[in-house]
């Protein structure tokens, strides 16, 4: 089974992806991880990517897709994969479809983690970090004292409510067309299912929700 995860930052995709990979015996592939591995191992595509990174440029989709294709073709991916952070735009969705087709594989499920903006704002704004030793905390408000070093807890700029709302707006503008693209695919005959999961609630409960959907 090949699964693609979609969802906003902070919706818990990474955590759920790990758990699903364990439960289903699939390999989890995140773009950042395979990119770093390819650069470290010095593969052809990795050297390609490094040239862009050394210049401070974004690595183009074509290079990322090449790295993704290598990862998908690896023996570790044979029984199936969970793709996290791989598709953010329609051209990337088209690219992934092409790469999978070249490998004789298909995407079985697109899992969309859905979460309300307000929930995300409260979830992210309850995260703080120690100003001095960088220890992360959850549910401890800014101004409290770090247990490890006595430093002051602060909120990351990215996690301020206004910053979260701005990120969510950008995410929805960018992702809505991707979701629509997969919805049209799902209606067609190529067999990809689009499943929306409510990402609100305890981590275990969300995993069970996803498992129930996948068993349908
Ligand atoms: Zn500290």
């Amino acid at each position: 089974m090949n699964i693609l995860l979609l969802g906003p930052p902070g919706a818990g995709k990474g955590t759920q992806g790990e758990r699903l990979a364990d439960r289903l015996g699939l390999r989890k592939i995140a773009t950042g991880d395979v990119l770093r591995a390819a650069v470290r191992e010095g593969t052809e595509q990795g050297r390609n990517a490094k040239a862009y990174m050394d210049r401070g440029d974004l690595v183009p989709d074509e290079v990322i897709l090449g790295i993704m294709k290598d990862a998908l073709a690896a023996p570790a991916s044979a029984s199936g994969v969970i793709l996290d952070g791989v598709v953010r735009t329609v051209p990337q969705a088209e690219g992934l479809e092409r790469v999978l087709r070249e490998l004789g594989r298909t995407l079985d499920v697109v899992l969309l983690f859905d979460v309300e903006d307000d929930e995300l704002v409260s979830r992210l704004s309850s995260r703080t970090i120690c100003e001095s030793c960088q220890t992360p905390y959850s549910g401890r408000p800014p101004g409290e004292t770090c247990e490890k070093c006595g430093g002051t807890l602060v909120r990351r700029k990215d996690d301020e409510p206004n910053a979260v709302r701005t990120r969510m707006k950008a995410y929805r503008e960018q992702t809505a067309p991707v979701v629509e693209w997969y919805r049209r695919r799902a209606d067609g005959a190529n067999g990809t299912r689009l499943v929306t999961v409510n990402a609100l609630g305890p981590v275990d409960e969300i995993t069970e929700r996803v498992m129930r959907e996948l068993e349908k």
Side-chain angles (χ1 to χ4, degrees):
M1 180 154 46
N2 300 308
I3 301 175
L4 175 75
L5 308 181
L6 290 180
K13 264 188 328 219
T15 308
Q16 294 299 331
E18 298 285 352
R19 290 169 149 242
L20 293 171
D22 279 350
R23 291 277 287 265
L24 299 164
L26 305 175
R27 178 186 181 197
K28 179 171 177 270
I29 298 181
T31 303
D33 296 344
V34 287
L35 175 60
R36 278 188 294 274
V39 169
R40 197 172 53 236
E41 288 158 18
T43 65
E44 189 190 338
Q45 298 288 2
R47 291 196 304 272
N48 240 332
K50 190 171 184 298
Y52 287 96
M53 290 156 81
D54 287 346
R55 290 196 298 266
D57 290 335
L58 274 177
V59 182
D61 281 357
E62 277 313 307
V63 177
I64 298 282
L65 279 169
I67 290 172
M68 202 49 71
K69 188 173 181 183
D70 289 346
L72 286 163
S77 305
S79 59
V81 293
I82 294 187
L83 302 170
D84 177 15
V86 173
V87 172
R88 293 196 166 93
T89 64
V90 170
Q92 289 170 354
E94 288 167 347
L96 176 65
E97 187 177 71
R98 192 186 70 237
V99 163
L100 286 167
R101 194 168 50 231
E102 285 165 5
L103 294 168
R105 302 173 71 155
T106 51
L107 199 56
D108 301 291
V109 178
V110 175
L111 261 185
L112 173 63
F113 288 91
D114 197 30
V115 55
E116 298 286 327
D117 288 17
D118 288 347
E119 166 61 19
L120 213 56
V121 166
S122 77
R123 198 185 285 187
L124 294 183
S125 60
S126 78
R127 296 200 303 199
T128 47
I129 187 167
C130 171
E131 204 170 36
S132 313
C133 74
Q134 311 293 310
T135 301
Y137 287 90
S138 181
R140 300 265 316 265
E144 286 198 9
T145 303
C146 174
E147 283 161 16
K148 288 197 179 153
C149 76
T152 305
L153 305 190
V154 294
R155 199 182 271 152
R156 284 196 184 91
K157 280 204 164 50
D158 271 2
D159 291 342
E160 293 290 346
N162 281 340
V164 174
R165 287 190 199 284
T166 305
R167 267 154 73 198
M168 282 304 286
K169 189 165 176 283
Y171 160 77
R172 293 203 192 286
E173 281 169 8
Q174 197 178 46
T175 310
V178 175
V179 174
E180 195 42 46
W181 191 85
Y182 279 118
R183 206 182 298 282
R184 282 202 305 273
R185 278 286 185 286
D187 290 340
N190 82 336
T192 303
R193 276 173 68 203
L194 176 65
V195 174
T196 303
V197 177
N198 177 4
L200 181 65
V203 174
D204 287 337
E205 204 177 301
I206 297 164
T207 306
E208 293 312 318
R209 248 176 239 164
V210 174
M211 290 301 291
R212 278 197 301 275
E213 286 293 338
L214 292 180
E215 280 158 11
K216 274 183 191 166

